Amino acid sequence: MVLSLLTESLALLCPAALAATAALGVLLRRRGRAAEAQAEQLRERVTALELDRSDLERTAATDDLTGVGNQRTLRLALRREVAGALREDRPLAVLLLSLDGFAEVRRAHGRQQADALLREYAHRIAVEVRRGDTVARQVGAEFALLLPGADAEGAERVAARLRWTVRRHRPRAGAAVDAEVAGARITASIGCAVLPEDGRHPAVLLRAADRALTADRGGQEAQDAGAGAA
């Protein structure tokens, strides 16, 4: 009798238990899908934030006009490269490059055309150096280049190549640059300073490169004047 009652009770409980288990399974699966969806949303937000941070870092390190490094990039890179060169006992070359002829372009054709031309030359200079080198715009049409591992002879070779590249480069005329502006005569004056010969501090190296730039510009002006007289 008792056994019969237990059997009947279990028979009544089993469907209810099965139904409860099934309902619990459905609930857990729904919660699992909701948790996965939440996790995916969080991953997407993290990715978006990382991209935003990368964009901000790139913007903070890039010159708005030319797309190469800005003065902040130069200061940070120069301190880092000087410290590394001193620590590893290797040379470091600092070049200051001035694109001569932009003042005339600006006066004759306006700021927009001069800025477009400056971007063209900045990009051309950037492709002439190694991946580990730094190119940054100082001010106006003047750029600084950091060449880790380059001694005085190596720096002069790079400077000679850059002078030739700037002199020979002719941007393609189009919507950004007029044909007359694309054909403007642009040359490069370059000053070089090398660690440790010219200094062991960032500011000292920049001053040495600036003095060398002034001397190079004066020498080229004298050559141009002599060529004109001839």
Side-chain angles (χ1 to χ4, degrees):
M1 182 68 177
V2 174
L3 181 59
S4 177
L5 289 172
L6 286 172
T7 301
E8 291 177 0
S9 298
L10 287 173
L12 292 171
L13 286 173
C14 282
L18 290 172
T21 302
L24 180 60
V26 171
L27 180 61
L28 290 174
R29 284 194 295 273
R30 286 177 178 173
R31 288 183 176 178
R33 286 194 294 269
E36 181 60 30
Q38 263 192 331
E40 182 62 27
Q41 288 177 353
L42 287 173
R43 285 193 291 269
E44 290 176 356
R45 288 184 62 187
V46 169
T47 300
L49 288 172
E50 289 176 346
L51 291 173
D52 288 344
R53 184 186 66 180
S54 298
D55 288 342
L56 288 172
E57 290 175 349
R58 185 166 54 252
T59 301
T62 303
D63 177 63
D64 292 338
L65 176 60
T66 62
V68 300
N70 57 19
Q71 291 187 19
R72 178 178 180 272
T73 296
L74 176 62
R75 290 195 301 271
L76 294 175
L78 186 54
R79 285 201 296 265
R80 182 182 67 246
E81 296 297 349
V82 166
L86 293 174
R87 183 175 60 252
E88 299 170 15
D89 192 25
R90 57 174 170 78
L92 167 69
V94 178
L95 274 60
L96 290 184
L97 183 154
S98 174
L99 292 171
D100 304 322
F102 271 89
E104 290 78 4
V105 171
R106 184 182 292 266
R107 282 196 296 269
H109 303 281
R111 177 177 178 178
Q112 185 175 357
Q113 285 290 305
D115 287 350
L117 192 63
L118 185 61
R119 280 192 294 270
E120 290 276 351
Y121 277 93
H123 295 166
R124 191 71 190 89
I125 291 166
V127 302
E128 286 295 324
V129 298
R130 304 167 299 181
R131 183 181 296 273
D133 298 336
T134 299
V135 180
R137 183 184 179 208
Q138 279 270 74
V139 63
E142 186 174 302
F143 298 84
L145 296 89
L146 309 182
L147 313 178
D151 57 13
E153 184 178 351
E156 286 299 336
R157 284 198 301 269
V158 173
R161 186 173 73 246
L162 288 170
R163 289 190 189 96
W164 183 88
T165 296
V166 170
R167 187 171 64 252
R168 294 293 301 272
H169 181 58
R170 288 295 179 268
R172 181 179 298 177
V177 180
D178 292 343
E180 188 177 355
V181 175
R185 184 176 184 274
I186 305 296
T187 59
S189 299
I190 303 176
C192 306
V194 178
L195 181 150
E197 293 91 327
D198 297 308
R200 302 167 67 89
H201 187 276
V204 175
L205 286 170
L206 282 176
R207 284 197 296 269
D210 189 58
R211 288 194 298 270
L213 172 62
T214 301
D216 187 61
R217 185 184 289 121
Q220 292 205 46
E221 288 174 353
Q223 288 181 1
D224 291 343

